[in-house]
Amino acid sequence: MIVAMEMVQAEAAQADLVGRWEGALNVGGTSLPIVIRVEQGSNGLVTVMDSPAQNARGIPVADLILNGGVVRFAVPVARGGFEGAVSADGGTWTGTWTQGAGSLPLILTRAANAAEPAGPNRPRTPQPPFPYAAEDVTFRNEGAGITLAGTLTLPAGSGPFPAVVLLTGSGAQDRDETIFDHKPFAVWADALTRRGIAVLRYDDRGIGGSGGGGPDETTADFATDAGAAIAFLQTRPEIDAARIGLIGHSEGGAIAPLAVRNGAPAAFVVMLAGPAVSGAEIITEQAAMIAAASGQTPEQVAALRSVQSRTMAAVVANRNDGPAAAAAASAVLVEAGIPAERARSSTAAMASGWYRYFVAYDPAPALAALTVPLLAVYGEKDLQVPATLDAGALRRLQPSAEIVVLPGLNHLMQTATTGLPGEYGTIEETVSPLALDTVTDWVVKVTTR
């Protein structure tokens, strides 16, 4: 009888979770809507997350549970999760969204099913008809045992054409690197293909039509995907196998040199806001610069930089042990005066294989080993991969590289006012024409025979 009652209570708790839950994250002053959809399937609950502003829908949600008035779930491909208290009437979840090293308050409220509102104006998103061919393709990464899906754009004519592979930044993203309804990689592919360069862009692991996906896949794993992409292009008769390059944005800028160091036969590399120092250094400086740009005092910024640096050191010291890395990082935050529960939730994602690898990875050896032409483009107002830090480091590692710092541009290569991430969605421009011309002119130059 007791077992039967427990089953009834468990089923009731599941029923309480079913529905559409809406909320918003305040990211650098900009509201980012979040939707959690929970449905009753034949084998239990089926849960997905939507981020309408990023045009990301149906992202798998794992481990949704309601226990003791607290609801929890994880979003593996985003390397994030949520934990919150359920209101007395069951209609609101009040808690914290944790992703990477950061956490933000998030309130999710049960809402009626409704159509998504129209997205913001994005005039630079390419629209058909196009003066080039676009083909949906798939290719295998045999070493990883996965198939990746993407789009190959081919210039008009018979070829063979030079080509580039586009590599996204951190976090699982679609082939267009969609963020806040911007589609930067669609814009880059359009600009390059119109100039006679074939372009392959593909969904990251676990997104869209690509297999794999999970919090323990690392930058090194993604470098093998880049190598598989080049190998696929070499099988295409329209592509000149000797003129295939890699263009990586943010983490993609670390993936490209690593792929070449591991044997990927790239003819050239372009880094868009690519790191030239360790992830620990980038995350520390990123936190300090965003704090300063957000109006914090020099004393507050210095204190934040100190705590962030010690947190990163704790992760690096425990890079081979996920639980130990998260626990050590949490202990640093507690020592700094952050409540234990908040510290624990803020550092939970640091246990992931991706995070530990990213923080500990030093791109210097791969960059120093590059012997192919290299273009590195940074935005003067980039607060995520600061030009003041990374461009200088890269000049020491690659004196012959062409390194350009473009005035007024942020991490997405948009013309910005402050450079804060909260601006990304409010700026109508997807990619600055200055950035597009700088890169396409260089690629045409190095591939011209």
Side-chain angles (χ1 to χ4, degrees), residues 420-437:
L420 285 165
E423 277 189 328
Y424 299 165
T426 66
I427 299 172
E428 194 172 81
E429 176 182 84
T430 296
V431 181
S432 161
L434 177 59
L436 291 170
D437 290 344

Side-chain angles (χ1 to χ4, degrees), residues 304-333:
L304 174 62
R305 180 183 274 113
S306 175
V307 171
Q308 188 70 66
S309 178
R310 297 200 308 274
T311 303
M312 294 299 95
V315 174
V316 172
N318 295 277
R319 58 187 174 274
N320 296 321
D321 185 333
S330 180
V332 172
L333 298 187

Side-chain angles (χ1 to χ4, degrees), residues 392-449:
L394 184 57
R395 284 191 180 98
R396 293 188 292 273
L397 293 165
Q398 275 287 342
S400 62
E402 188 166 343
I403 302 172
V404 181
V405 179
L406 297 178
L409 302 193
N410 64 16
H411 187 62
L412 299 187
M413 300 293 154
Q414 299 169 301
T415 304
T417 301
T418 67
L420 285 165
E423 277 189 328
Y424 299 165
T426 66
I427 299 172
E428 194 172 81
E429 176 182 84
T430 296
V431 181
S432 161
L434 177 59
L436 291 170
D437 290 344
T438 298
V439 173
T440 54
D441 287 349
W442 186 88
V443 172
V444 169
K445 180 180 71 174
V446 299
T447 58
T448 297
R449 289 184 169 177

